[in-house]
Amino acid sequence: MRKSAGLYRAYSVVLGVIALVAVVFLIGVILLSVVSYAPKNVFGTTVLRVESGSMAPFLDAGDVVLCDEAESVATGDVVLFRAASGVYAGRYVLHRVVAKEDTEKGVVLVTKGDASDSADTRKLSEDDVVAKFRKKLTVLTAFMNFRDTPAGKGVMFGLPSVFAAVAVALEIAFASRGRVRVKNSDRT
């Protein structure tokens, strides 16, 4: 009986660890779901996923990037702005500043996607710039891209379900071992 109690405690610890891992895993998945194509401010840094391949090979569709406030913008910087018209009207765009021009209304920025042969038709003022690219998050990009595949969805939602099923099965198995069985001859 003592050996069984020790074994039960060991399995209880293992089940507790499995349950904790499953909960942390689910919380991580939920938190990562806030990373989207619309920029989100996280601790003063803008986080977003790249929506198109217009900046390939520098940035690919699905990449997760960090951007900072654009205190100043120079030629060569990759900037985040909201498209005013065209296919991406209202969406956020990351393009490279290829020129700065002085005009009667002030300095305007000429932007272009690295994958494009021509500059964007709309010129930006420095006030149009929402943020400036800082860094691509390679590991998070790989995780998010895997999460979006059918296999990734299966792992993200199937793994916690398997953990829960194993925990319940082990609990039932050990609960049934602790029952006292009465022989038919002992019944009155």
Short mmCIF file of all heavy atoms in Angstrom, two decimals, residues 17 27 66 101 152:
data_model
loop_
_atom_site.label_atom_id
_atom_site.label_comp_id
_atom_site.label_asym_id
_atom_site.label_seq_id
_atom_site.Cartn_x
_atom_site.Cartn_y
_atom_site.Cartn_z
N VAL A 17 2.76 19.08 -13.31
CA VAL A 17 3.71 19.72 -14.24
C VAL A 17 3.11 19.77 -15.64
O VAL A 17 3.19 20.80 -16.32
CB VAL A 17 5.06 18.97 -14.23
CG1 VAL A 17 5.96 19.45 -15.36
CG2 VAL A 17 5.75 19.15 -12.89
N ILE A 27 -1.66 30.18 -22.53
CA ILE A 27 -1.52 31.62 -22.28
C ILE A 27 -0.59 32.23 -23.31
O ILE A 27 -0.87 33.31 -23.85
CB ILE A 27 -1.03 31.87 -20.84
CG1 ILE A 27 -2.12 31.53 -19.84
CG2 ILE A 27 -0.56 33.32 -20.67
CD1 ILE A 27 -1.68 31.54 -18.40
N LEU A 66 9.58 44.83 -35.03
CA LEU A 66 9.50 45.88 -34.01
C LEU A 66 9.80 47.21 -34.68
O LEU A 66 10.73 47.31 -35.49
CB LEU A 66 10.53 45.66 -32.91
CG LEU A 66 10.40 44.42 -32.04
CD1 LEU A 66 11.54 44.39 -31.01
CD2 LEU A 66 9.07 44.39 -31.33
N GLU A 101 12.56 65.20 -50.36
CA GLU A 101 12.50 66.35 -51.27
C GLU A 101 11.98 67.58 -50.52
O GLU A 101 11.04 67.48 -49.75
CB GLU A 101 11.56 66.05 -52.44
CG GLU A 101 12.01 64.90 -53.31
CD GLU A 101 10.99 64.54 -54.39
OE1 GLU A 101 9.88 65.12 -54.42
OE2 GLU A 101 11.31 63.64 -55.19
N GLY A 152 0.31 23.42 -37.42
CA GLY A 152 0.51 24.31 -36.28
C GLY A 152 -0.75 24.48 -35.46
O GLY A 152 -0.71 24.47 -34.23
#
